[in-house]
Amino acid sequence: MTPSPRLRVLTGINTTGTPHLGNYVGAIRPTVRASRQPDTESFLFLADYHSLIKCQDPERVQRSTLEIAASWLAAGLDPEHVTFYRQSDIPEIPQLTWLLTCVTGKGLLNRAHAYKAATDQNQAAGAEPDDGVTAGLFMYPVLMAADILMFKAHKVPVGRDQAQHLEMARDIAASFNHLYGDLLILPEAQIDDHVALLPGLDGRKMSKSYNNVIPLFGPARELRKQIMGIVTDSRAPGEPKDTEGSALYAIYRAFAEDDEAAAFAQAFADGISWADAKQQLCDRIEQEIGPMRERYDHLMAHPAEIEALLLAGAQKARAIATPYIGTLRQAVGLRPVDATPKRDKKAGPARTGLPSFKQYREKDGLFYFKLTSPDGTVLLQSKGFESPRDAGRVVKQLQTEGSSALAELENNLDALESQRQEVEKALEQLRMVAEA
Ligand code: TRP
């Protein structure tokens, strides 16, 4: 018996742009930390199919994928512990995308924020609403739903801006399940509103769109130059300075332990010069980022190492995706024409209520229990037990451990399905040989 299924956490990383300190503090560092938790199973992938929506420069697509992968690995992502892969290495994802596309209302996609923003902008400019809008942008939420549903993720850590996409993934999964049976897991968004929002060079939120970012893995002297350029007020050395509203202090805070931050605040009160404060900030960031930069530079110089890691990650991911897409294809009717349709226990009208256990005594004097669905179908029939307590104990066990047992059965089903497909293929080949 395998241990009970762990919480499965999955998130995608856009492969556009070069990561900056804000991305590191707000996304990379917390995600890498969370991925080390023993009770979770982490899936992290490079959303390179998504990047094609925004970027149609092939060299840049490739370069960004490399840079982002190197950044996450350098920041401590452990591919032994996390399933780390590139979206486009998983052919099952676009397959699932199509299955989902066919159960997704077009109206649902019309309401997506990103699409609506594009059409609103066009309308404001007096253009046709769909001017310059690709079907890729329109379909973005379906591809994202496939990313998530393909791996039966329970939790999806994302920024607040992605909350709507998660709602859509749930809606799409529910539509599919309604038609074909409970095959997809409805994911939950995990939105952390407490992640540090780093100010940029000008004190506004650090963001590419404000052009105020400090790149995560530039050369050390570049980092120094950038930090020296952070906007401060005109207070002279010796004058007490406010930590409140100081971008310098806020960035320091995001890197420092509590006692270090307290000491830094005291130095502000004691009138540290801005130049010295910047020097201290520089040293503190460098202490954390410096060793990572070495690893980053190494990886960037050896892209084959990254490629190998990504392919190994894809293999791990596909061990799940391949059998599962088989089950889903089977469910929607994409099956060999001569296959006997599987009795579809799961599909059909939505069931209402929950199955329940009933205990009783038979004429043979033994004690039994059965699990029946609300419509009276017997789902499970026990053997006879000597005492009602023995039967009761097994019922308890089923009630408490049933979900993990079920999950295991599901995994077995998926594996069997892929074996069935293999056997069918072999049979097909044998038939061809026999006919020749
Ligand atoms: N759309 C996400 C973002 O902009 C990236 C992403 C793509 C993603 N697929 C995903 C996130 C699946 C979570 C799960 O940040």
Side-chain angles (χ1 to χ4, degrees):
M1 174 112 191
T2 49
S4 67
R6 286 178 296 164
L7 185 72
R8 195 171 279 177
V9 181
L10 173 144
T11 199
I13 310 158
N14 282 325
T15 56
T16 40
T18 310
H20 53 71
L21 284 188
N23 299 138
Y24 173 73
V25 166
I28 302 177
R29 189 172 62 186
T31 306
V32 168
R33 280 187 189 156
S35 76
R36 298 208 176 111
Q37 257 153 32
D39 51 346
T40 63
E41 194 182 358
S42 270
F43 286 66
L44 205 63
F45 68 95
L46 303 162
D48 58 344
Y49 275 137
H50 277 105
S51 82
L52 298 183
I53 295 168
K54 276 198 212 142
C55 178
Q56 288 161 348
D57 170 352
E59 263 70 53
R60 255 189 65 197
V61 169
Q62 182 193 22
R63 175 85 190 167
S64 296
T65 305
L66 173 65
E67 281 182 358
I68 306 273
S71 301
W72 281 77
L73 290 166
L77 184 78
D78 179 2
E80 285 293 314
H81 193 65
V82 174
T83 304
F84 182 54
Y85 56 98
R86 175 171 47 199
Q87 187 186 29
S88 66
D89 283 335
I90 316 294
E92 291 82 1
I93 292 176
Q95 284 194 49
L96 179 56
T97 302
W98 184 251
L99 303 191
L100 299 178
T101 301
C102 296
V103 301
T104 302
K106 179 172 174 293
L108 182 81
L109 299 179
N110 286 341
R111 292 189 289 276
H113 297 321
Y115 173 67
K116 263 186 65 120
T119 54
D120 286 352
Q121 219 174 359
N122 279 334
Q123 237 140 8
E128 283 293 307
D130 281 333
D131 224 25
V133 176
T134 64
L137 176 68
F138 189 66
M139 295 289 300
Y140 188 113
V142 188
L143 178 57
M144 182 159 160
D147 291 333
I148 298 167
L149 301 174
M150 187 80 262
F151 295 100
K152 301 181 184 169
H154 304 113
K155 298 264 178 202
V156 183
V158 283
R160 180 151 294 288
D161 62 319
Q162 297 294 311
Q164 190 197 29
H165 288 150
L166 260 293
E167 276 313 309
M168 291 181 154
R170 291 171 62 88
D171 283 350
I172 295 170
S175 304
F176 186 97
N177 285 351
H178 182 70
L179 284 162
Y180 300 117
D182 276 337
L183 293 166
L184 300 175
I185 303 275
L186 269 53
E188 259 175 58
Q190 199 174 42
I191 295 167
D192 185 356
D193 281 324
H194 300 291
V195 292
L197 264 193
L198 216 59
L201 297 168
D202 57 359
R204 290 187 293 173
K205 174 192 164 196
M206 190 179 286
S207 159
K208 243 188 341 217
S209 33
Y210 294 149
N211 201 15
N212 64 354
V213 306
I214 304 176
L216 177 56
F217 289 128
R221 67 190 132 68
E222 216 26 62
L223 178 69
R224 171 169 311 271
K225 216 170 89 190
Q226 302 260 5
I227 287 173
M228 292 305 157
I230 294 176
V231 174
T232 51
D233 62 27
S234 57
R235 274 177 237 199
E239 275 186 76
K241 295 172 176 67
D242 283 331
T243 53
E244 189 77 28
S246 158
L248 194 60
Y249 180 78
I251 300 176
Y252 189 92
R253 187 72 199 86
F255 283 87
E257 302 295 335
D258 290 347
D259 53 339
E260 292 172 304
F264 201 54
Q266 187 58 49
F268 268 51
D270 294 344
I272 187 174
S273 76
W274 285 124
D276 287 348
K278 286 177 176 175
Q279 182 58 49
Q280 283 195 25
L281 171 60
C282 220
D283 292 345
R284 188 59 190 80
I285 294 179
E286 193 54 24
Q287 188 186 324
E288 185 162 331
I289 301 297
M292 297 178 182
R293 184 187 299 112
E294 273 176 43
R295 172 115 174 93
Y296 179 80
D297 291 342
H298 171 89
L299 288 167
M300 288 301 286
H302 301 85
E305 284 181 25
I306 296 187
E307 186 60 26
L309 283 176
L310 290 177
L311 292 181
Q315 207 172 6
K316 265 205 273 181
R318 291 194 72 197
I320 296 168
T322 307
Y324 191 34
I325 197 75
T327 305
L328 299 174
R329 289 174 62 98
Q330 163 80 30
V332 303
L334 302 177
R335 4 169 136 131
V337 289
D338 62 340
T340 2
K342 256 209 301 200
R343 208 159 43 82
D344 215 347
K345 304 182 289 281
K346 284 175 170 172
R351 293 151 294 161
T352 50
L354 290 171
S356 55
F357 285 99
K358 291 189 182 67
Q359 274 180 253
Y360 54 96
R361 189 173 193 179
E362 279 289 13
K363 286 192 217 88
D364 59 8
L366 295 175
F367 297 87
Y368 294 80
F369 67 82
K370 60 187 176 182
L371 179 67
T372 51
S373 68
D375 67 7
T377 316
V378 177
L379 303 169
L380 194 74
Q381 167 68 66
S382 80
K383 66 175 176 89
F385 293 88
E386 290 296 333
S387 79
R389 272 192 45 219
D390 289 343
R393 220 189 39 240
V394 176
V395 169
K396 254 261 131 53
Q397 201 179 354
L398 281 170
Q399 281 167 335
T400 52
E401 293 170 16
S403 59
S404 55
L406 256 184
E408 201 183 330
L409 283 175
E410 256 177 42
N411 285 340
N412 289 345
L413 253 184
D414 286 348
L416 279 174
E417 174 58 25
S418 78
Q419 280 173 16
R420 194 190 62 75
Q421 288 173 15
E422 291 299 317
V423 169
E424 231 157 53
K425 262 188 236 150
L427 260 177
E428 184 57 31
Q429 280 168 359
L430 277 175
R431 265 187 220 126
M432 275 163 33
V433 171
E435 277 163 20

